[in-house]
Amino acid sequence: MVNLTINGTPVSVPEGTTILEAARIAHIHIPHLCYLKDLNEIGACRLCAVEVEGEAKLTPACDNVVREGMVVRTNSSRVRWARKINLELILSQHDCTCATCVRSSNCKLQKLANDFGILETRFRKNLIPKKFRAWDHNFPLIRESTKCIGCMRCIQVCDKMQGMHIWDLEGTGGRTHINVADMKDIQDSNCTLCGQCITHCPTGALRERNDIDRVMWAIDNPDITTVVQIAPAVRTAWGESFGLKPEEATINRLAGCLRQLGIDYVFDTSFSADLTIMEEGTEFLHRLEKGDLEKYPMFTSCCPGWIRFIKSEYPDLVGQLSTAKSPQQMFGSVIKTYFAQKLGKKPEQIYSISIMPCVAKKAECDLPTMKNENGVQDVDVVLTTREVVRMFRSERLSVAKVYETPFDRLMGDYSGAGVIFGATGGVMEAALRSAYYLVTGKNPPAEAFNAVRASAFSASAPWRSATYDIGGQKITAAVVSGLANTRKLCEAILAGQVKYDFVEVMACPGGCSGGGGQPINVDDEERALSRGQVLYNIDRGMTLRFSHENEEVLALYSDMLEAPYSEKAEKLLHTDHFKC
């Protein structure tokens, strides 16, 4: 342990602790913009500068470790003056149009400017030249270069957490700025649309494409029937922006809010998560029986960021993907067929809206393989959790007072297995529950496969694996989240270092709960695992915990699809990953 003094308070912390972390342990706040623990500790913004006794210059607290007897002052007049000057310099290179910024009231830069009482800056505006601002605003990920403060977070998150290297520095000296690497346009890069750069950006420099107007158009159109599906992970986070606890921000309250906006039908994507398990689980058993998994495993296919990743980085493994569509696309397909028939509507009269914790879902729904033979999309538009929050605010909904309403019937039932799709390991666990039943004819204990759940992230253990006995056959499963970890797993599989039968991949660390479309919090705390725990708690409290016991899914097979992995099911619920 190292002993030091911060603002006159004795502090004892482990050796190797930074001054910033030591202050945090002592409940002393040091402001910062660029710092991200273990990812971006470069002292670029200099807002964390502190005065260390015996040092002539101010010291960045984020990348300097404590030493025995150190005396630190975080609030001297010299420190306060330096921070204010540095903040004004940053603001001089930032387009301060807060009223029209998607991050207004939720921006770290804006909060610091308010905290420091900066009403005007003494430096001339020096925004990035127009020639560097060009961007395709039809792309699901939007970059506003004039709002970039050069904190390097996007670069470090993309490089270290996701291993994709999409962003890089461009130019030299005072002309240095961040842009797409190798001078590419974003649509020509290998961006997976995971959205982690968005959720870790401290300003509004990165955001998702805004599709709210498309939804409001459909609501106002008397000839259109609007149908919404809500992804499992959305329920874990949508209430954060309104200060609601998880038990207050229920999925039924969210459904009530959507009905107040004028949505005609509201469903839970957990229904089609159960449907996905029936298809994917059956497909896995078929492939296993045929010997198709002798060399490489079958990979899950519900994460579009992962699908984009494998196609660009490991095309030789694309054939190992499950052909099952994602739950989003399965639901859209069923809405435009089964549900449309029940309503007596044509597919084009139904506007299918998805609310997802994901940016990549916006690209997924536009794929040519996600349309019927007449060119009608399964899903018409995708809104992120953040967009739904903004939509509720724009309509002035008092969400805490909105009455909870149940989902519509016909496709409104879902199991706990469908709910845990939103947490890393949840897809695998749900699939194995039903695979066990399909092989043995009886249910396993609901908690039999929870060894694949994540309780923490560890660089030394980039993925989790377990071997299970299912009907006398050993099944080895692996679960991985985060694309840098995924790359390590893929390399190990291709090198023959590991052998698995079934692998679940989620592009975002922690799975959909930590998705790139989830609410952004300015405290830099990662919430994926705590949000995922909400889903596991819901599953634990449900009576129905197995996808194969969902009566409404079984009715869908009886009325239309015949059986899992049947010819009809393949036509409606499966896709060809090689066609796009």
Side-chain angles (χ1 to χ4, degrees):
M1 302 295 286
V2 176
N3 301 296
L4 69 155
T5 302
I6 304 178
N7 295 348
T9 301
V11 182
S12 183
V13 295
E15 186 179 0
T17 303
T18 63
I19 299 172
L20 184 65
E21 289 298 314
R24 183 175 293 175
I25 291 170
H27 305 291
I28 297 171
H29 176 70
I30 298 177
H32 57 273
L33 264 176
C34 65
Y35 172 79
L36 276 176
K37 185 173 175 57
D38 299 327
L39 287 174
N40 200 38
E41 300 173 331
I42 60 175
C45 70
R46 284 301 197 265
L47 293 183
C48 68
V50 296
E51 199 169 4
V52 177
E53 192 173 278
E55 298 285 342
K57 296 180 179 180
L58 296 181
T59 303
C62 69
D63 63 349
N64 282 278
V65 298
V66 298
R67 62 177 184 270
E68 185 67 29
M70 179 181 274
V71 177
V72 178
R73 295 182 67 192
T74 73
N75 58 357
S76 66
S77 58
R78 182 186 176 197
V79 167
R80 290 196 303 270
W81 179 86
R83 286 178 184 161
K84 190 169 184 178
I85 290 293
N86 285 334
L87 191 54
E88 288 184 30
L89 284 167
I90 291 170
L91 289 169
S92 73
Q93 297 183 357
H94 178 78
D95 185 5
C96 300
T97 52
C98 297
T100 56
C101 180
V102 72
R103 291 289 299 275
S104 184
S105 78
N106 187 37
C107 170
K108 201 160 189 177
L109 179 62
Q110 185 185 56
K111 184 179 187 305
L112 283 169
N114 288 336
D115 290 348
F116 278 88
I118 298 176
L119 302 178
E120 57 184 5
T121 62
R122 69 198 77 189
F123 303 107
R124 178 177 58 86
K125 278 289 180 185
N126 184 25
L127 300 181
I128 189 169
K130 286 187 177 180
K131 63 180 179 179
F132 298 121
R133 302 182 196 177
W135 199 266
D136 180 3
H137 280 68
N138 291 317
F139 195 71
L141 185 151
I142 307 294
R143 184 169 187 271
E144 302 284 356
S145 57
T146 57
K147 295 178 182 177
C148 176
I149 60 171
C151 69
M152 304 276 286
R153 282 191 181 201
C154 57
I155 294 177
Q156 302 282 38
V157 166
C158 195
D159 288 0
K160 295 179 181 178
M161 181 188 287
Q162 298 298 71
M164 291 306 298
H165 310 285
I166 301 301
W167 308 106
D168 203 354
L169 289 173
E170 194 174 274
T172 58
R175 295 181 297 275
T176 302
H177 60 276
I178 294 171
N179 207 343
V180 181
D182 301 321
M183 301 183 73
K184 290 182 178 179
D185 291 330
I186 186 65
Q187 61 270 25
D188 298 326
S189 73
N190 288 338
C191 177
T192 63
L193 290 171
C194 69
Q196 292 303 309
C197 57
I198 299 176
T199 58
H200 290 83
C201 177
T203 68
L206 291 162
R207 61 176 174 86
E208 71 279 8
R209 184 186 67 215
N210 183 12
D211 290 321
I212 293 174
D213 287 344
R214 295 171 62 187
V215 173
M216 299 311 292
W217 166 85
I219 290 173
D220 292 338
N221 192 327
D223 299 322
I224 294 291
T225 298
T226 51
V227 181
V228 163
Q229 58 167 306
I230 307 169
V234 172
R235 77 191 68 205
T236 70
W238 77 274
E240 291 174 3
S241 301
F242 298 104
L244 298 179
K245 298 177 181 177
E247 57 270 22
E248 297 171 321
T250 64
I251 193 68
N252 286 345
R253 176 160 282 122
L254 178 53
C257 291
L258 290 166
R259 287 196 171 92
Q260 282 208 11
L261 290 183
I263 296 294
D264 297 313
Y265 295 93
V266 183
F267 296 105
D268 195 322
T269 313
S270 300
F271 166 88
S272 53
D274 284 335
L275 188 60
T276 301
I277 288 303
M278 298 299 289
E279 293 298 319
E280 201 167 65
T282 304
E283 179 187 4
F284 169 70
L285 294 175
H286 275 241
R287 288 197 183 191
L288 188 67
E289 186 178 351
K290 287 172 61 180
D292 290 349
L293 309 181
E294 287 297 324
K295 187 175 182 181
Y296 298 134
M298 188 180 94
F299 293 98
T300 58
S301 57
C302 55
C303 172
W306 149 242
I307 302 299
R308 292 173 69 94
F309 174 85
I310 193 173
K311 287 181 178 180
S312 68
E313 307 296 311
Y314 297 96
D316 291 346
L317 290 176
V318 171
Q320 300 305 119
L321 287 168
S322 166
T323 61
K325 291 180 179 179
S326 70
Q328 166 180 280
Q329 296 305 138
M330 280 196 185
F331 207 111
S333 185
V334 173
I335 284 291
K336 295 290 182 81
T337 53
Y338 180 64
F339 187 67
Q341 291 170 13
K342 295 292 184 180
L343 291 183
K345 300 274 187 179
K346 296 178 181 179
E348 51 269 28
Q349 292 177 299
I350 293 179
Y351 201 75
S352 177
I353 305 161
S354 294
I355 299 175
M356 295 285 143
C358 179
V359 178
K361 290 289 183 185
K362 288 177 177 283
E364 181 188 38
C365 75
D366 288 332
L367 292 173
T369 51
M370 300 302 172
K371 300 177 181 179
N372 68 13
E373 59 273 14
N374 297 318
V376 176
Q377 290 186 202
D378 295 340
V379 174
D380 294 292
V381 66
V382 173
L383 297 182
T384 63
T385 312
R386 292 191 294 270
E387 285 174 281
V388 167
V389 167
R390 294 200 298 271
M391 190 163 61
F392 290 168
R393 283 179 167 162
S394 69
E395 296 300 309
R396 311 302 297 168
L397 287 187
S398 299
V399 296
K401 298 179 181 178
V402 171
Y403 289 111
E404 299 184 31
T405 63
F407 289 106
D408 289 289
R409 301 314 303 166
L410 192 63
M411 298 185 301
D413 208 1
Y414 56 90
S415 72
V419 170
I420 61 176
F421 254 62
T424 181
V427 176
M428 180 62 67
E429 188 173 347
L432 292 175
R433 288 182 193 178
S434 288
Y436 187 97
Y437 172 82
L438 293 172
V439 171
T440 66
K442 58 183 180 181
N443 287 338
E447 310 294 337
F449 306 108
N450 61 9
V452 294
R453 296 180 183 180
S455 57
F457 297 123
S458 170
S460 60
W463 65 85
R464 300 174 305 289
S465 61
T467 299
Y468 300 102
D469 187 311
I470 298 182
Q473 185 166 7
K474 298 293 184 182
I475 303 295
T476 304
V479 170
V480 64
S481 69
L483 292 177
N485 291 335
T486 300
R487 190 182 297 277
K488 294 176 184 176
L489 176 57
C490 288
E491 294 290 346
I493 289 172
L494 289 170
Q497 297 170 354
V498 293
K499 172 69 175 71
Y500 299 117
D501 300 302
F502 200 4
V503 174
E504 174 204 311
V505 183
M506 292 290 175
C508 295
C512 301
S513 294
Q518 293 283 61
I520 301 170
N521 297 281
V522 296
D523 57 11
D524 296 332
E525 294 292 327
E526 301 289 353
R527 287 172 165 76
L529 293 180
S530 60
R531 290 169 179 165
Q533 191 56 52
V534 172
L535 299 178
Y536 286 122
N537 291 340
I538 292 172
D539 168 48
R540 192 178 301 111
M542 292 187 69
T543 303
L544 179 62
R545 301 189 69 185
F546 299 92
S547 297
H548 56 267
E549 292 183 348
N550 186 328
E551 293 292 339
E552 294 187 2
V553 168
L554 298 178
L556 174 61
Y557 281 112
S558 176
D559 293 349
M560 183 179 182
L561 300 177
E562 296 178 352
Y565 216 46
S566 67
E567 186 176 337
K568 289 185 177 180
E570 281 202 70
K571 180 180 179 181
L572 201 64
L573 306 179
H574 291 252
T575 188
D576 186 343
H577 294 295
F578 290 99
K579 286 188 176 180
C580 62

mmCIF file of all heavy atoms in Angstrom, residues 131-153:
data_model
loop_
_atom_site.group_PDB
_atom_site.id
_atom_site.type_symbol
_atom_site.label_atom_id
_atom_site.label_comp_id
_atom_site.label_asym_id
_atom_site.label_seq_id
_atom_site.Cartn_x
_atom_site.Cartn_y
_atom_site.Cartn_z
ATOM 1 N N LYS A 131 -13.989 20.550 -45.767
ATOM 2 C CA LYS A 131 -13.619 19.415 -46.615
ATOM 3 C C LYS A 131 -13.455 18.122 -45.810
ATOM 4 O O LYS A 131 -13.454 17.025 -46.383
ATOM 5 C CB LYS A 131 -12.335 19.718 -47.374
ATOM 6 C CG LYS A 131 -11.103 19.927 -46.505
ATOM 7 C CD LYS A 131 -9.890 20.229 -47.366
ATOM 8 C CE LYS A 131 -8.636 20.459 -46.513
ATOM 9 N NZ LYS A 131 -7.453 20.724 -47.354
ATOM 10 N N PHE A 132 -13.308 18.241 -44.480
ATOM 11 C CA PHE A 132 -13.179 17.059 -43.641
ATOM 12 C C PHE A 132 -14.509 16.687 -42.978
ATOM 13 O O PHE A 132 -14.550 15.769 -42.156
ATOM 14 C CB PHE A 132 -12.119 17.278 -42.554
ATOM 15 C CG PHE A 132 -10.745 17.524 -43.098
ATOM 16 C CD1 PHE A 132 -10.064 18.700 -42.808
ATOM 17 C CD2 PHE A 132 -10.126 16.581 -43.903
ATOM 18 C CE1 PHE A 132 -8.781 18.928 -43.303
ATOM 19 C CE2 PHE A 132 -8.842 16.807 -44.398
ATOM 20 C CZ PHE A 132 -8.175 17.979 -44.100
ATOM 21 N N ARG A 133 -15.584 17.379 -43.332
ATOM 22 C CA ARG A 133 -16.861 17.150 -42.656
ATOM 23 C C ARG A 133 -17.807 16.239 -43.439
ATOM 24 O O ARG A 133 -18.874 15.883 -42.948
ATOM 25 C CB ARG A 133 -17.570 18.477 -42.409
ATOM 26 C CG ARG A 133 -16.778 19.472 -41.580
ATOM 27 C CD ARG A 133 -17.599 20.729 -41.351
ATOM 28 N NE ARG A 133 -16.778 21.846 -40.905
ATOM 29 C CZ ARG A 133 -17.246 23.068 -40.694
ATOM 30 N NH1 ARG A 133 -18.541 23.318 -40.899
ATOM 31 N NH2 ARG A 133 -16.450 24.032 -40.303
ATOM 32 N N ALA A 134 -17.452 15.887 -44.677
ATOM 33 C CA ALA A 134 -18.365 15.110 -45.519
ATOM 34 C C ALA A 134 -18.711 13.782 -44.856
ATOM 35 O O ALA A 134 -17.841 13.098 -44.295
ATOM 36 C CB ALA A 134 -17.728 14.871 -46.886
ATOM 37 N N TRP A 135 -19.985 13.418 -44.933
ATOM 38 C CA TRP A 135 -20.449 12.162 -44.321
ATOM 39 C C TRP A 135 -21.726 11.695 -45.010
ATOM 40 O O TRP A 135 -22.566 12.516 -45.390
ATOM 41 C CB TRP A 135 -20.714 12.359 -42.828
ATOM 42 C CG TRP A 135 -20.748 11.055 -42.088
ATOM 43 C CD1 TRP A 135 -21.844 10.300 -41.791
ATOM 44 C CD2 TRP A 135 -19.626 10.338 -41.575
ATOM 45 N NE1 TRP A 135 -21.482 9.157 -41.125
ATOM 46 C CE2 TRP A 135 -20.111 9.160 -40.977
ATOM 47 C CE3 TRP A 135 -18.255 10.580 -41.565
ATOM 48 C CZ2 TRP A 135 -19.273 8.220 -40.370
ATOM 49 C CZ3 TRP A 135 -17.421 9.651 -40.968
ATOM 50 C CH2 TRP A 135 -17.930 8.492 -40.374
ATOM 51 N N ASP A 136 -21.869 10.396 -45.178
ATOM 52 C CA ASP A 136 -23.088 9.817 -45.728
ATOM 53 C C ASP A 136 -24.109 9.681 -44.598
ATOM 54 O O ASP A 136 -24.003 8.780 -43.758
ATOM 55 C CB ASP A 136 -22.784 8.445 -46.348
ATOM 56 C CG ASP A 136 -24.026 7.779 -46.935
ATOM 57 O OD1 ASP A 136 -25.105 8.413 -46.916
ATOM 58 O OD2 ASP A 136 -23.925 6.629 -47.406
ATOM 59 N N HIS A 137 -25.090 10.583 -44.595
ATOM 60 C CA HIS A 137 -26.066 10.592 -43.501
ATOM 61 C C HIS A 137 -27.142 9.527 -43.651
ATOM 62 O O HIS A 137 -28.060 9.452 -42.817
ATOM 63 C CB HIS A 137 -26.691 11.980 -43.356
ATOM 64 C CG HIS A 137 -25.813 12.946 -42.619
ATOM 65 N ND1 HIS A 137 -24.628 13.402 -43.152
ATOM 66 C CD2 HIS A 137 -25.919 13.517 -41.390
ATOM 67 C CE1 HIS A 137 -24.049 14.228 -42.284
ATOM 68 N NE2 HIS A 137 -24.803 14.310 -41.212
ATOM 69 N N ASN A 138 -27.040 8.689 -44.665
ATOM 70 C CA ASN A 138 -27.905 7.512 -44.758
ATOM 71 C C ASN A 138 -27.301 6.323 -44.024
ATOM 72 O O ASN A 138 -27.999 5.342 -43.750
ATOM 73 C CB ASN A 138 -28.140 7.133 -46.232
ATOM 74 C CG ASN A 138 -28.993 8.148 -46.960
ATOM 75 O OD1 ASN A 138 -29.992 8.630 -46.429
ATOM 76 N ND2 ASN A 138 -28.594 8.505 -48.174
ATOM 77 N N PHE A 139 -26.024 6.412 -43.725
ATOM 78 C CA PHE A 139 -25.356 5.342 -42.985
ATOM 79 C C PHE A 139 -25.883 5.353 -41.548
ATOM 80 O O PHE A 139 -26.119 6.423 -40.972
ATOM 81 C CB PHE A 139 -23.847 5.574 -43.008
ATOM 82 C CG PHE A 139 -23.037 4.370 -42.599
ATOM 83 C CD1 PHE A 139 -22.960 3.266 -43.424
ATOM 84 C CD2 PHE A 139 -22.359 4.352 -41.395
ATOM 85 C CE1 PHE A 139 -22.205 2.153 -43.058
ATOM 86 C CE2 PHE A 139 -21.602 3.255 -41.012
ATOM 87 C CZ PHE A 139 -21.531 2.149 -41.842
ATOM 88 N N PRO A 140 -26.075 4.169 -40.948
ATOM 89 C CA PRO A 140 -26.661 4.131 -39.590
ATOM 90 C C PRO A 140 -25.851 4.838 -38.524
ATOM 91 O O PRO A 140 -26.394 5.244 -37.496
ATOM 92 C CB PRO A 140 -26.762 2.629 -39.300
ATOM 93 C CG PRO A 140 -26.862 1.990 -40.645
ATOM 94 C CD PRO A 140 -25.975 2.826 -41.535
ATOM 95 N N LEU A 141 -24.539 4.985 -38.726
ATOM 96 C CA LEU A 141 -23.689 5.683 -37.764
ATOM 97 C C LEU A 141 -23.298 7.029 -38.350
ATOM 98 O O LEU A 141 -22.779 7.097 -39.469
ATOM 99 C CB LEU A 141 -22.449 4.842 -37.442
ATOM 100 C CG LEU A 141 -21.509 5.368 -36.361
ATOM 101 C CD1 LEU A 141 -20.809 4.209 -35.664
ATOM 102 C CD2 LEU A 141 -20.448 6.310 -36.925
ATOM 103 N N ILE A 142 -23.546 8.094 -37.610
ATOM 104 C CA ILE A 142 -23.290 9.458 -38.077
ATOM 105 C C ILE A 142 -22.166 10.079 -37.252
ATOM 106 O O ILE A 142 -22.146 9.961 -36.021
ATOM 107 C CB ILE A 142 -24.549 10.342 -37.950
ATOM 108 C CG1 ILE A 142 -25.752 9.682 -38.639
ATOM 109 C CG2 ILE A 142 -24.276 11.734 -38.510
ATOM 110 C CD1 ILE A 142 -25.630 9.551 -40.120
ATOM 111 N N ARG A 143 -21.240 10.764 -37.946
ATOM 112 C CA ARG A 143 -20.176 11.491 -37.242
ATOM 113 C C ARG A 143 -20.271 12.971 -37.557
ATOM 114 O O ARG A 143 -20.294 13.370 -38.717
ATOM 115 C CB ARG A 143 -18.794 10.975 -37.651
ATOM 116 C CG ARG A 143 -17.663 11.652 -36.851
ATOM 117 C CD ARG A 143 -16.340 10.936 -37.071
ATOM 118 N NE ARG A 143 -15.337 11.496 -36.164
ATOM 119 C CZ ARG A 143 -14.560 12.542 -36.463
ATOM 120 N NH1 ARG A 143 -14.667 13.126 -37.652
ATOM 121 N NH2 ARG A 143 -13.687 12.991 -35.587
ATOM 122 N N GLU A 144 -20.371 13.776 -36.499
ATOM 123 C CA GLU A 144 -20.359 15.234 -36.622
ATOM 124 C C GLU A 144 -18.958 15.703 -36.249
ATOM 125 O O GLU A 144 -18.637 15.886 -35.071
ATOM 126 C CB GLU A 144 -21.403 15.853 -35.698
ATOM 127 C CG GLU A 144 -22.833 15.371 -35.933
ATOM 128 C CD GLU A 144 -23.464 15.980 -37.170
ATOM 129 O OE1 GLU A 144 -22.819 16.844 -37.805
ATOM 130 O OE2 GLU A 144 -24.589 15.597 -37.505
ATOM 131 N N SER A 145 -18.106 15.910 -37.255
ATOM 132 C CA SER A 145 -16.691 16.179 -36.989
ATOM 133 C C SER A 145 -16.463 17.479 -36.227
ATOM 134 O O SER A 145 -15.480 17.619 -35.504
ATOM 135 C CB SER A 145 -15.911 16.199 -38.305
ATOM 136 O OG SER A 145 -16.446 17.150 -39.200
ATOM 137 N N THR A 146 -17.373 18.452 -36.369
ATOM 138 C CA THR A 146 -17.186 19.737 -35.678
ATOM 139 C C THR A 146 -17.453 19.628 -34.178
ATOM 140 O O THR A 146 -17.182 20.569 -33.432
ATOM 141 C CB THR A 146 -18.116 20.815 -36.265
ATOM 142 O OG1 THR A 146 -19.471 20.370 -36.165
ATOM 143 C CG2 THR A 146 -17.766 21.096 -37.720
ATOM 144 N N LYS A 147 -17.978 18.484 -33.751
ATOM 145 C CA LYS A 147 -18.223 18.284 -32.321
ATOM 146 C C LYS A 147 -17.179 17.382 -31.685
ATOM 147 O O LYS A 147 -17.232 17.116 -30.484
ATOM 148 C CB LYS A 147 -19.626 17.710 -32.111
ATOM 149 C CG LYS A 147 -20.722 18.684 -32.529
ATOM 150 C CD LYS A 147 -22.106 18.093 -32.362
ATOM 151 C CE LYS A 147 -23.180 19.088 -32.832
ATOM 152 N NZ LYS A 147 -24.539 18.534 -32.766
ATOM 153 N N CYS A 148 -16.246 16.896 -32.509
ATOM 154 C CA CYS A 148 -15.169 16.047 -31.997
ATOM 155 C C CYS A 148 -14.173 16.898 -31.218
ATOM 156 O O CYS A 148 -13.760 17.957 -31.677
ATOM 157 C CB CYS A 148 -14.481 15.334 -33.157
ATOM 158 S SG CYS A 148 -13.051 14.346 -32.657
ATOM 159 N N ILE A 149 -13.779 16.445 -30.038
ATOM 160 C CA ILE A 149 -12.817 17.184 -29.215
ATOM 161 C C ILE A 149 -11.456 16.488 -29.186
ATOM 162 O O ILE A 149 -10.589 16.856 -28.390
ATOM 163 C CB ILE A 149 -13.353 17.383 -27.787
ATOM 164 C CG1 ILE A 149 -13.621 16.035 -27.114
ATOM 165 C CG2 ILE A 149 -14.596 18.249 -27.792
ATOM 166 C CD1 ILE A 149 -13.951 16.133 -25.645
ATOM 167 N N GLY A 150 -11.277 15.458 -30.021
ATOM 168 C CA GLY A 150 -9.980 14.788 -30.107
ATOM 169 C C GLY A 150 -9.572 14.041 -28.861
ATOM 170 O O GLY A 150 -8.381 13.877 -28.582
ATOM 171 N N CYS A 151 -10.538 13.527 -28.113
ATOM 172 C CA CYS A 151 -10.227 12.847 -26.854
ATOM 173 C C CYS A 151 -9.641 11.456 -27.076
ATOM 174 O O CYS A 151 -9.099 10.862 -26.149
ATOM 175 C CB CYS A 151 -11.465 12.761 -25.969
ATOM 176 S SG CYS A 151 -12.741 11.650 -26.609
ATOM 177 N N MET A 152 -9.812 10.918 -28.281
ATOM 178 C CA MET A 152 -9.259 9.613 -28.674
ATOM 179 C C MET A 152 -10.052 8.419 -28.145
ATOM 180 O O MET A 152 -9.676 7.270 -28.374
ATOM 181 C CB MET A 152 -7.793 9.477 -28.221
ATOM 182 C CG MET A 152 -6.855 10.553 -28.713
ATOM 183 S SD MET A 152 -6.254 10.187 -30.358
ATOM 184 C CE MET A 152 -5.112 8.872 -30.004
ATOM 185 N N ARG A 153 -11.154 8.668 -27.469
ATOM 186 C CA ARG A 153 -11.916 7.540 -26.926
ATOM 187 C C ARG A 153 -12.388 6.588 -28.022
ATOM 188 O O ARG A 153 -12.303 5.366 -27.877
ATOM 189 C CB ARG A 153 -13.126 8.055 -26.147
ATOM 190 C CG ARG A 153 -12.826 8.586 -24.764
ATOM 191 C CD ARG A 153 -14.135 8.800 -24.053
ATOM 192 N NE ARG A 153 -13.977 9.330 -22.713
ATOM 193 C CZ ARG A 153 -14.913 9.233 -21.767
ATOM 194 N NH1 ARG A 153 -16.066 8.653 -22.042
ATOM 195 N NH2 ARG A 153 -14.715 9.724 -20.577
#
